[in-house]
Amino acid sequence: MNDENALIREQAFIGGRWIGGQAWRDVVDPATADRIGRVPDLDDATIDASVDTAFAAFGRWRDTSAIERANRLMAWYEGMCRRREALARLMTYEQGKPLAEARGEVDYAASFLRWFAEEARRASGTTIPSEDPHVALGTVREPVGVAAIITPWNFPMAMITRKVAAALAAGCTTVVKPANETPFCALALAALAEEVDLNNGEFNVVTTTGKRFSERVCADTRVRALSFTGSTPVGRQLLRDSADTVKRVAMELGGNAPLIVCEDADLGTVVEAAVAAKFQTSGQDCVAANRLFVHRSIYEPFVERFSERMNAMAVGSGFDEANEIGPLIHADAVQKAQSLIEDARDKGARIIGRDQTDAPGAHFFMPTVVADFTDTMRVSTEESFAPVAPIRAFDDDDEVIAAANATEHGLASYLFTHADARIRKFMRSLEYGMVGVNTMDITGPHVPFGGIKQSGLGREGAHVGMDEYLETKYYCIGGVPPR
Ligand SMILES: NC(=O)c1ccc[n+]([C@@H]2O[C@H](COP(=O)([O-])OP(=O)(O)OC[C@H]3O[C@@H](n4cnc5c(N)ncnc54)[C@H](O)[C@@H]3O)[C@@H](O)[C@H]2O)c1
Ligand SMILES: N[C@@H](CC=O)C(=O)O
């Protein structure tokens, strides 16, 4: 058996049991479109049963000690580290990303288990100075209850652990619906969770359609939190669906990240960073640079060097370690990239890159620069989620700040300059939840990840990551005797 097959489980995981279904859904390798296997497409009754299980488990899990929850998360973390290569190969097989990036994501995903194992013991309450000497006041923090979690395919392990580890550390139990494209990554996490006794309903993985799942869990009053990572249109729908039962919601939605290069930036360094910011995960990253703005005085040299570096990127199967760009997730993604390029070309952009007929398969898209993009082009307003790099020149800071902010999104942004005053001005003015200055490497378990505007609600990771899963209970004890 190849390593990438070692962790494949073709069943959902509910209450520690592996279960099949009446209907099934195929999972395909995006590089070849070959079938990898299948998972059950679970019905309403089984979704409800997963909530029954998580609800029953909540009664037990919330009363475990913080150190017990921490130990369980650490054991899960260690299991992921031991199976790093098999997990990475499975991810490349199912999601398509180059193996080096898949290994990076396994490390990233595991890091949330360790981080929240550490944080589990720090969900402290407060004492409140009382206005009355006979009254004691304070707060304790308590888990909200069952959390329903819906995740995307682009980071098929990290987007799960970032939520689940925080929820479990807080004392909540979880029902996860992974993306239909990447259920095996989620089920591999379940297989490792089972090994560390997280198999009593604390962590459930339900394979089914998004709409069916969200309709059941949003209507269910026992589900007290809904945490979603995915596109903004689906996030809007889930906010509406959660209103009737007034759930706690956490939303990590789409981005349209600007990357701004000022004239004092070192061209060699900035080209490497910009290529990484644009093309990692083949451009299918919520924090990917979606629009590049370069000061006019260095614009043409930047476009030339960026395009040169881009054209040197090998495109092909993620299993070949030489390849830096893998397949897109499916044919629709390739068509969308193609239509963005055609729209830009029709409206006067310069298209730079290799011919698409050089692509090594139907799901591959050769990375492409759209130079001189304008506001009327779709690349300016839409998240491409593809290796498409729109670049344009700017003349002054106010102009580029206005252009960068002219979007409904507000997730990540990047700035390259060494001028202190300028850094402060941009940091204040950029309407984004995250600002990377002279780096594109902005994530990790220790940072508060999240967006403003229509990129989301709440933050994941860092010391605030558990907040989404904790209620503050205030207490007031009267009749306290005098000293
Ligand atoms: N902010 C972040 O942290 C972050 C991280 C990763 C991806 N994203 C965003 O995710 C998007 C790409 O991922 P995607 O294509 O998987 O997004 P998507 O919104 O299509 O799907 C995300 C998840 O929602 C489910 N879903 C789809 N339609 C649904 C519905 N009507 N009701 C309930 N669930 C539904 C899917 O099955 C999947 O599990 C991009 O916009 C990207 O920016 C954001
Ligand atoms: N790259 C993001 C996930 C978004 O797609 C992260 O670092 O968490």
Side-chain angles (χ1 to χ4, degrees):
M1 188 190 284
N2 291 335
D3 234 15
E4 57 269 23
N5 290 309
L7 283 164
I8 288 184
R9 305 294 296 253
E10 294 186 300
Q11 289 163 310
F13 183 71
I14 298 177
R17 288 191 310 124
W18 292 94
I19 62 158
Q22 303 295 320
W24 296 83
R25 175 190 298 279
D26 281 347
V27 181
V28 300
D29 170 355
T32 60
D34 291 344
R35 182 177 174 279
I36 298 176
R38 64 176 194 168
V39 288
D41 188 7
L42 296 176
D43 57 16
D44 288 359
T46 317
I47 297 168
D48 292 348
S50 73
V51 177
D52 296 344
T53 304
F55 188 65
F58 176 60
R60 299 185 293 272
W61 183 249
R62 70 174 158 196
D63 290 333
T64 53
S65 65
I67 187 79
E68 169 65 15
R69 296 198 292 276
N71 288 344
R72 228 67 91 73
L73 288 169
M74 272 309 280
W76 197 6
Y77 163 76
E78 282 155 11
M80 280 194 79
C81 294
R82 274 196 301 276
R83 307 302 295 275
R84 178 181 191 246
E85 192 61 15
L87 289 166
R89 292 190 72 85
L90 171 62
M91 193 184 297
T92 294
Y93 194 21
E94 184 180 46
Q95 200 279 342
K97 64 179 69 181
L99 206 41
E101 290 184 2
R103 291 187 190 108
E105 186 184 336
V106 173
D107 294 344
Y108 183 44
S111 75
F112 289 110
L113 299 178
R114 183 170 67 176
W115 174 266
F116 285 110
E118 292 159 354
E119 286 296 293
R121 302 174 68 191
R122 302 197 181 104
S124 309
T126 56
T127 54
I128 302 170
S130 174
E131 294 181 357
D132 181 336
H134 303 296
V135 170
L137 305 174
T139 62
V140 289
R141 305 195 78 201
E142 296 183 340
V144 296
V146 175
I149 288 171
I150 305 179
T151 53
W153 46 264
N154 65 333
F155 280 77
M157 290 186 192
M159 297 302 96
I160 293 176
T161 55
R162 187 157 73 187
K163 296 173 188 300
V164 169
L168 292 179
C172 296
T173 54
T174 56
V175 183
V176 176
K177 195 221 76 74
N180 296 334
E181 294 83 350
T182 53
F184 290 137
C185 283
L187 293 165
L189 293 177
L192 299 182
E194 185 182 26
E195 287 175 7
V196 297
D197 294 336
L198 283 169
N199 56 0
N200 292 299
E202 304 88 352
F203 173 60
N204 304 282
V205 178
V206 172
T207 52
T208 185
T209 63
K211 195 158 184 303
R212 188 183 303 144
F213 180 79
S214 64
E215 278 172 5
R216 299 310 298 174
V217 298
C218 285
D220 195 319
T221 53
R222 297 169 301 170
V223 175
R224 294 309 318 141
L226 174 69
S227 180
F228 172 71
T229 294
S231 61
T232 297
V234 173
R236 287 189 194 108
Q237 182 59 50
L238 293 175
L239 282 169
R240 284 190 285 269
D241 293 347
S242 301
D244 284 346
T245 52
V246 193
K247 290 193 200 316
R248 184 75 78 84
V249 286
M251 295 277 148
E252 294 290 342
L253 308 177
N256 182 0
L259 184 148
I260 300 166
V261 184
C262 298
E263 63 276 26
D264 64 328
D266 170 63
L267 213 49
T269 315
V270 86
V271 164
E272 273 312 307
V275 163
K278 176 63 252 182
F279 296 117
Q280 277 185 5
T281 328
S282 311
Q284 304 170 114
D285 190 331
C286 58
V287 297
N290 205 50
R291 297 166 295 156
L292 286 74
F293 299 94
V294 181
H295 194 270
R296 193 173 303 282
S297 61
I298 56 166
Y299 180 65
E300 286 304 337
F302 178 91
V303 170
E304 192 179 322
R305 286 177 69 167
F306 184 93
S307 304
E308 228 170 67
R309 172 71 182 85
M310 175 189 81
N311 283 333
M313 296 180 96
V315 180
S317 161
F319 284 115
D320 181 339
E321 304 258 11
N323 290 330
E324 291 182 85
I325 297 201
L328 298 190
I329 193 71
H330 40 47
D332 288 352
V334 175
Q335 271 156 22
K336 176 172 178 192
Q338 194 58 55
S339 76
L340 289 174
I341 301 287
E342 280 159 18
D343 171 76
R345 182 187 283 119
D346 290 349
K347 291 173 181 161
R350 272 186 291 156
I351 308 299
I352 305 167
R354 285 162 283 178
D355 201 290
Q356 291 304 330
T357 55
D358 293 342
H363 291 181
F364 290 86
F365 194 83
M366 301 307 281
T368 303
V369 161
V370 176
D372 316 332
F373 80 94
T374 63
D375 294 345
T376 60
M377 295 174 190
R378 286 175 52 206
V379 286
S380 172
T381 50
E382 291 182 33
E383 185 183 26
S384 71
F385 239 51
V388 172
I391 314 181
R392 82 182 201 205
F394 71 90
D395 293 297
D396 73 66
D397 292 357
D398 290 334
E399 169 209 338
V400 75
I401 287 166
N405 289 341
T407 166
E408 68 189 23
H409 295 293
L411 190 60
S413 57
Y414 305 94
L415 169 70
F416 289 84
T417 178
H418 293 287
D420 279 352
R422 223 169 181 184
I423 291 173
R424 282 194 291 275
K425 177 180 167 102
F426 275 88
M427 272 181 54
R428 279 191 165 183
S429 309
L430 287 170
E431 295 167 356
Y432 288 84
M434 299 179 281
V435 186
V437 181
N438 295 320
T439 180
M440 51 69 58
D441 196 5
I442 58 171
T443 64
H446 51 296
V447 308
F449 190 99
I452 62 172
K453 292 161 77 178
Q454 296 186 42
S455 284
L457 297 169
R459 294 293 178 270
E460 294 190 328
H463 59 291
V464 293
M466 271 163 63
D467 291 354
E468 310 294 346
Y469 304 98
L470 288 167
E471 296 283 12
T472 296
K473 182 181 279 178
Y474 150 68
Y475 64 82
C476 171
I477 305 172
V480 176
R483 249 187 263 275

